[in-house]
Amino acid sequence: MITPDYVVTLSRYNGWQNRQVIDVVGAMEETDLRQDRGAFFGSILNTLNHILWGDTMWLSRFSAAFDPPNGPAAEHINYTESPRAWCSARRAFDDQLQSWADALSASDLVGDLTWSSGMTGQTLTLPRALCVGHLFNHQTHHRGQVHAMLTAAGQKAPVTDICFMPEDG
């Protein structure tokens, strides 16, 4: 299904994408980031918080070395209190994610993962590799929503094509 090298590449891509978003978000007014733009989670900041909360939750499921997010699942859109706090938490998480990906072995992607979902209240079991793939798919999906909201807000949205990712991405 997926390989450790693929996970490393997607982790690099994730970091590159988020650094671009951080540059844009860091220059925007907080009121613009909190404005309801009709997206699934309303605002740019809410969507960014949802992605970070989800990333944190998934990584804690993949490795006991990582803590799950603080607070109940229902508060995912309020995961960080401000754009500045989001930027800091996002950078720190992306470093953790890259370190995890760099240390991943093929055996880490084998077998099933069982977890209790705070969002649905269900206990679920899926192949571990599929769950790791979902982590990156989920980021990309919601970052696409952020991209659209940034564009609608008159901001220069990040370059998203993986073929343009720099070697040091």
Side-chain angles (χ1 to χ4, degrees):
M1 177 174 263
I2 64 174
T3 66
D5 286 343
Y6 185 70
V7 174
V8 167
T9 299
L10 289 182
S11 183
R12 282 184 50 238
Y13 176 75
N14 167 72
W16 173 56
Q17 290 299 290
N18 286 327
R19 286 189 298 279
Q20 291 182 84
V21 171
I22 287 167
D23 289 345
V24 175
V25 166
M28 290 178 69
E29 295 293 327
E30 186 166 343
T31 54
D32 291 333
L33 294 165
R34 292 186 182 279
Q35 180 181 340
D36 188 332
R37 298 184 183 277
F40 193 73
F41 299 111
S43 72
I44 293 168
L45 185 59
N46 286 0
T47 304
L48 293 172
N49 271 324
H50 170 76
I51 298 167
L52 181 57
W53 186 93
D55 288 354
T56 303
M57 181 57 76
W58 278 110
L59 192 58
S60 74
R61 291 172 180 154
F62 301 147
S63 172
F66 300 99
D67 293 327
N70 292 328
E75 291 298 315
H76 61 106
I77 63 171
N78 299 312
Y79 188 51
T80 63
E81 61 192 36
S82 69
R84 173 176 269 184
W86 177 84
C87 290
S88 178
R90 183 77 253 183
R91 278 189 205 98
F93 178 84
D94 287 349
D95 288 345
Q96 290 179 321
L97 182 62
Q98 191 65 58
S99 293
W100 171 79
D102 289 341
L104 202 63
S105 69
S107 64
D108 294 324
L109 297 170
V110 174
D112 287 339
L113 178 69
T114 299
W115 74 97
S116 295
S117 169
M119 292 286 194
T120 67
Q122 298 175 314
T123 298
L124 302 164
T125 300
L126 288 171
R128 182 174 290 276
L130 184 65
C131 294
V132 172
H134 171 73
L135 164 74
F136 295 107
N137 189 55
H138 180 259
Q139 296 166 346
T140 301
H141 166 71
H142 288 302
R143 248 192 328 263
Q145 293 172 329
V146 170
H147 188 278
M149 287 187 280
L150 290 172
T151 302
Q155 300 296 316
K156 184 177 180 201
V159 174
T160 59
D161 296 318
I162 198 168
C163 61
F164 298 120
M165 180 172 63
E167 285 298 315
D168 64 351

